[in-house]
Amino acid sequence: GRYHVKTIVGTEVSRRLGTDRINSFADLAQATQYLYRSAVERFDGIVTDKDGKPLAVVGGFKGAIDSASVPIAPVIAEAVRVRGAANIWLSHNHPSGLSELSSADRNLHRAFEDAFAGSGIEVRGLIAVGRGEYGATDNTNGRVPAEGNTVRVPVIEREQVGEPLAVPIESPAAARA
């Protein structure tokens, strides 16, 4: 690819979460209820501080009825730019209504753990929600709790800024140079 732009974190919109703290999978299911009405798979990461206070929504991927492509690099690039980030919780819906995690979900969770290793942000887990129930990477499941104390957080996206670099970077060797 051609790598010749500078980016910043942009926050043009905000998202209302169904709770003001995320310290468990039940809290995560409660917080991300907005995902569950979708007829296609949707995937978000919720970045929290060390105490579980939600700081931002990152990712924001939307797929088909039975899958969503979730590239990890954009999630990391957005999450590491959130001031005070200590944790990331991953949530998505299963329009089929089944809340059990698929093998693809578990593989994605492991890939996120590997990618975030050493970043200072801990991947706390991933849930899938269907028909009002959630399944989590620690093999727990439960009912999605009703909304509690809500909070609005920014939806983070990277935006291009400034002029492109004078010389496009078209390879890893050129980037090192």
Side-chain angles (χ1 to χ4, degrees), residues 86-125:
N87 303 299
I88 186 165
W89 296 82
L90 309 169
S91 180
H92 74 296
N93 67 316
H94 280 173
S96 67
L98 301 175
S99 60
E100 294 84 30
L101 294 175
S102 68
S103 59
D105 293 335
R106 292 188 182 281
N107 290 338
L108 181 63
H109 176 251
R110 283 190 292 275
F112 266 104
E113 286 181 321
D114 292 345
F116 269 95
S119 72
I121 299 174
E122 181 182 352
V123 176
R124 298 297 302 270

Side-chain angles (χ1 to χ4, degrees), residues 35-42 61-69 92-98 105 129-131:
L35 292 174
Y36 312 146
R37 293 182 296 274
S38 182
V40 297
E41 277 204 20
R42 292 185 56 199
F61 301 104
K62 187 179 193 179
I65 192 167
D66 60 351
S67 66
S69 178
H92 74 296
N93 67 316
H94 280 173
S96 67
L98 301 175
D105 293 335
V129 175
R131 289 196 192 110

